[in-house]
């Protein structure tokens, strides 16, 4: 049958000047919400912009005919008698149809927004966006070309061969919501004096950020798992110029280029503010949601993702304002306090050479080392070697590093007061994992004012009970996920 052959997804829904071309009867069934039993489900306002003819030229329905449930049923019966028949259906983008498309889009966006708003962990982040949400979405969807293309993105994904494609479309909507929520946070009060003009642009930036990958969703999903993420970002980048026809704005297109550059370790823009604000918000929102959804791997918990992102912040690979807005918006204050303290201690080094170690995955840093080997510094512990890396770990390349005697005691003093609270936030689940493996709790290491509630991470246990062994070893293996967390890898 002609309808069963491999189809070009982009040809299923083509927007023309004042009409929409639907590529085939199966596509029309999807577009119209046709149901063989439920006659009330059909989308209203589907009116022919040209005569609908058979392949022999016979007019089946003339121009201006509204396609009712009964008329579509007749087309299905006609195709049963003519299995090789294909239909190319041109319909009007009338005000009635556009209102219906806008309504369905808004309902989907609102559904995703309300699900976040009801969850305790996201309630605070969404709070400032709530009173302006309806007006904001109406303003974005008011332009026909924007509403049609957003609808087309979902339509293409729903029609894709692999049903996982719809995750790409949902990811776009969620990224728009989170980007707007981050922009509404207190952290951006000094950047956005008047949010009424900038918020629609920020929402649009998120909604279209993966447009290129959505349009090639079948190709992305069919790729080998190890190549899928690379093809995803390649598809986004090569299609950025095709978005110019929707007049999204030069700053929006620039944000997409910077976002794609970030994936290739081009990250200098994260330290910029006004010139890269859209990109910095987008990168943070997109990264969080991609890891939460498990778009290219296993999904991760909210706390683990925010911990990971704060590590990237410490390595100057993410924008501090955007990460802080997300962290505080999710009420993960223990994580925020922890990395704020690390940042405060790092800045106490007069030579800008202090680096917390280790700082990957769920391994909490227990010492500070000198990244520049400043021998004139009175706090450099030259008598012993603290770390000898055989592969790169974050900011630290291969080689020997010595302990900082100024900042390491301050870090451990901070742990003594807050360690258990911090580990429950940034390393939750490790204690349970140890118990499941029959290892039980380490009741001796990492003790402090709030001890007895949580087992320390391996690095903490080593610092409290195994410093002598650490200093004597010739080479120290970095955590297994060090290579995965390195700056050169896509996030």
């Amino acid at each position: 049958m002609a309808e069963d052959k491999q189809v070009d997804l982009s040809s299923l829904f083509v927007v023309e000047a004042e009409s929409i071309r639907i590529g085939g009867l199966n596509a029309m069934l999807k577009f119209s919400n046709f149901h063989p039993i439920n006659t009330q489900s059909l989308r209203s306002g589907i009116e022919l912009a040209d005569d609908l003819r058979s392949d022999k030229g016979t007019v089946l329905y003339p121009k201006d005919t509204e396609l009712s449930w009964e008329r579509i049923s007749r087309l299905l019966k006609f195709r049963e008698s003519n299995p090789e028949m294909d239909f190319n259906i041109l319909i009007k983008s009338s005000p009635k149809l556009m209102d219906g498309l806008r309504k369905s889009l808004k309902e989907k966006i609102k559904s995703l927004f309300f699900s976040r708003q009801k969850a305790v962990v996201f309630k605070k982040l969404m709070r400032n966006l709530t009173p302006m949400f309806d007006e904001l979405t109406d303003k974005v969807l008011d332009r026909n070309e924007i509403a049609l293309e957003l609808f087309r993105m979902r339509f293409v994904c729903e029609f894709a061969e692999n049903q996982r494609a719809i995750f790409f479309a949902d990811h776009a909507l969620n990224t728009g919501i989170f980007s707007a929520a981050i922009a509404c946070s207190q952290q951006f009060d000094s950047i956005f004096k008047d949010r009424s003009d900038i918020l629609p642009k920020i929402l649009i930036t998120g909604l279209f950020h993966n447009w290129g990958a959505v349009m090639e969703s079948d190709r992305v999903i069919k790729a080998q798992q190890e190549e899928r993420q690379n093809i995803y970002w390649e598809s986004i980048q090569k299609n950025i110029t095709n978005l110019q026809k929707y007049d999204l704005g030069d700053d929006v297109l620039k944000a997409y280029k910077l976002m794609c550059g970030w994936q290739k370790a081009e990250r200098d823009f994260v330290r910029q503010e006004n010139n890269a604000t859209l990109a910095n918000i987008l990168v943070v929102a997109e990264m969080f949601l991609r890891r939460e959804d498990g778009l290219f791997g296993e999904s991760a918990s909210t706390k683990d993702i925010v911990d990971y992102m704060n590590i990237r912040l410490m390595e100057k690979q993410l924008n501090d304002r955007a990460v802080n807005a997300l962290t505080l918006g999710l009420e993960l204050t223990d994580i925020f306090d922890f990395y704020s303290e690390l940042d405060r201690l790092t800045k106490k080094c007069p030579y800008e050479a202090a680096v917390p170690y280790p700082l990957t995955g769920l391994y909490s840093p227990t010492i500070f080392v000198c990244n520049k080997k400043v021998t004139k510094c009175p706090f450099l512990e030259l008598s012993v070697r603290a770390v000898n890396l055989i592969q790169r770990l974050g900011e630290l390349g291969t080689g020997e590093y010595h302990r900082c005697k100024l900042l390491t005691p301050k870090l451990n003093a901070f742990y003594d007061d807050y360690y258990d609270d911090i580990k429950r936030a940034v390393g939750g689940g490790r204690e349970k994992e140890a118990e499941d493996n029959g290892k039980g709790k380490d009741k001796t290491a990492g003790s402090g004012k709030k001890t007895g509630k949580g087992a320390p991470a391996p690095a903490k246990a080593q610092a409290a009970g195994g410093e002598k062994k650490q200093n004597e070893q010739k080479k120290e293996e970095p955590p297994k996920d060090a290579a995965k967390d390195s700056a050169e890898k896509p996030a």
Side-chain angles (χ1 to χ4, degrees), residues 1 39 74 88 115 130 134 217 287 353 360 409 469 479 485-486:
M1 291 173 58
T39 60
R74 292 192 200 107
N88 199 358
S115 68
T130 300
D134 279 334
S217 53
M287 179 189 292
T360 60
K469 183 178 179 180
D485 285 344
S486 66

Side-chain angles (χ1 to χ4, degrees), residues 262 267 270-271 283-284 287 291 304-320 323 339 359-361 393-395 481-491:
W262 196 97
R267 300 169 184 171
V270 302
R271 291 186 286 277
V283 166
V284 167
M287 179 189 292
R291 288 174 170 269
D304 286 352
I305 300 169
V306 175
D307 182 38
Y308 172 88
M309 295 178 74
N310 276 275
I311 290 172
R312 301 286 78 77
L313 173 60
M314 291 289 296
E315 296 173 346
K316 298 181 177 59
Q317 295 183 43
L318 289 173
N319 179 262
D320 57 351
V323 173
Y339 287 104
L359 192 58
T360 60
L393 189 64
E395 290 185 61
D481 57 356
K484 179 180 68 177
D485 285 344
S486 66
E488 288 74 20
K489 295 288 183 180

Side-chain angles (χ1 to χ4, degrees), residues 57-333:
T58 304
V59 176
L60 302 177
Y61 293 122
K63 178 183 176 180
D64 300 330
T65 299
E66 184 168 349
L67 293 184
S68 63
W69 184 91
E70 291 79 10
R71 286 170 177 148
I72 295 178
S73 295
R74 292 192 200 107
L75 290 177
L76 282 171
K77 292 178 181 178
F78 185 78
R79 191 177 68 176
E80 289 176 6
S81 304
N82 302 270
E84 297 300 318
M85 172 70 69
D86 202 357
F87 298 94
N88 199 358
I89 307 170
L90 194 66
I91 61 175
K92 298 177 182 179
S93 51
S94 63
K96 185 178 180 180
L97 178 64
M98 290 306 305
D99 287 345
L101 297 185
R102 270 189 271 269
K103 182 180 178 181
S104 65
L105 279 170
K106 186 173 181 179
E107 286 175 353
K108 181 59 183 178
I109 298 172
K110 285 181 72 171
S111 174
L112 294 173
F113 175 68
F114 287 151
S115 68
R116 298 290 183 171
Q117 189 187 45
K118 292 175 183 177
V120 174
V121 69
F122 300 113
K123 189 181 293 291
K124 181 180 177 182
L125 179 65
M126 300 297 159
R127 186 177 300 156
N128 291 338
L129 180 58
T130 300
M132 60 186 79
F133 182 79
D134 279 334
E135 183 180 351
L136 175 61
T137 51
D138 286 341
K139 191 171 184 178
V140 167
L141 297 176
D142 185 58
R143 288 174 54 192
N144 278 1
E145 61 270 27
I146 296 296
L148 280 171
E149 195 56 32
L150 286 173
F151 187 90
R152 179 171 174 248
M153 288 171 68
R154 296 196 64 79
F155 186 83
V156 164
C157 287
E158 288 173 353
F159 216 94
E161 183 177 332
N162 192 307
Q163 293 303 300
R164 282 186 59 85
I166 196 61
F167 293 163
F168 294 168
D170 284 345
H171 181 60
L173 299 185
N174 277 316
T175 301
I177 292 169
F178 269 70
S179 295
I182 289 171
C184 286
S185 67
Q186 183 180 358
Q187 284 69 33
F188 283 91
D189 283 348
S190 61
I191 302 295
F192 304 133
K193 301 298 183 183
D194 181 8
R195 289 184 172 90
S196 60
D197 290 332
I198 193 64
L199 275 181
K201 184 167 289 188
I202 290 172
L203 179 58
I204 284 176
T205 303
L207 294 175
F208 284 96
H209 83 278
N210 64 344
W211 181 84
V214 165
M215 291 304 151
E216 299 184 18
S217 53
D218 267 349
R219 185 175 78 90
V220 174
I221 294 174
K222 286 178 180 178
Q224 294 294 321
Q225 186 170 355
E226 60 272 14
E227 291 296 321
R228 201 169 292 159
Q229 187 168 184
N230 289 333
I231 294 176
Y232 177 83
W233 289 109
E234 288 171 5
S235 299
I236 292 173
Q237 184 168 24
K238 78 177 185 180
N239 283 294
I240 290 175
T241 54
N242 292 329
L243 285 168
Q244 290 177 342
K245 60 184 175 183
Y246 301 113
D247 194 26
L248 304 182
D250 292 340
D251 46 352
V252 174
L253 299 183
K254 177 185 176 183
Y256 296 153
K257 292 175 183 177
L258 292 175
M259 174 188 68
C260 292
W262 196 97
Q263 298 300 321
K264 297 183 289 186
E266 298 168 4
R267 300 169 184 171
D268 290 343
F269 71 90
V270 302
R271 291 186 286 277
Q272 301 174 18
E273 287 290 358
N274 294 325
N275 292 331
T277 301
L278 287 181
N280 283 321
I281 291 175
L282 176 61
V283 166
V284 167
E286 190 281 330
M287 179 189 292
F288 174 83
L289 292 162
R290 175 162 37 88
R291 288 174 170 269
E292 182 196 51
D293 292 339
L295 213 57
F296 299 105
E298 292 184 9
S299 60
S301 70
T302 299
K303 289 181 178 181
D304 286 352
I305 300 169
V306 175
D307 182 38
Y308 172 88
M309 295 178 74
N310 276 275
I311 290 172
R312 301 286 78 77
L313 173 60
M314 291 289 296
E315 296 173 346
K316 298 181 177 59
Q317 295 183 43
L318 289 173
N319 179 262
D320 57 351
R321 194 183 298 272
V323 173
N324 290 345
L326 178 65
T327 305
L328 291 173
L330 298 179
E331 296 191 354
L332 300 176
T333 52

Side-chain angles (χ1 to χ4, degrees), residues 385 387-392 396-401:
R385 178 183 60 215
V387 177
N388 186 15
L389 293 181
I390 59 174
Q391 69 181 82
R392 185 173 187 84
L396 302 175
T398 58
E400 299 178 0
Y401 297 93

Side-chain angles (χ1 to χ4, degrees), residues 368-436:
F368 271 89
V369 297
C370 180
N371 193 18
K372 299 179 181 177
K373 199 174 182 179
V374 185
T375 54
K376 63 181 179 180
C377 176
F379 298 107
L380 186 64
E381 191 176 42
L382 287 170
S383 58
V384 291
R385 178 183 60 215
V387 177
N388 186 15
L389 293 181
I390 59 174
Q391 69 181 82
R392 185 173 187 84
L393 189 64
E395 290 185 61
L396 302 175
T398 58
E400 299 178 0
Y401 297 93
H402 297 267
R403 186 192 312 265
C404 173
K405 294 188 292 184
L406 171 66
L407 302 180
T408 299
K410 294 179 183 292
L411 175 61
N412 284 305
F414 178 74
Y415 271 126
D416 285 341
D417 283 338
Y418 301 107
Y419 183 73
D420 286 317
D421 289 339
I422 292 166
K423 285 314 297 174
R424 279 198 301 274
V426 303
R430 187 165 290 277
E431 176 184 346
K432 180 67 166 63
E433 178 185 317
E435 290 177 348
D436 291 343

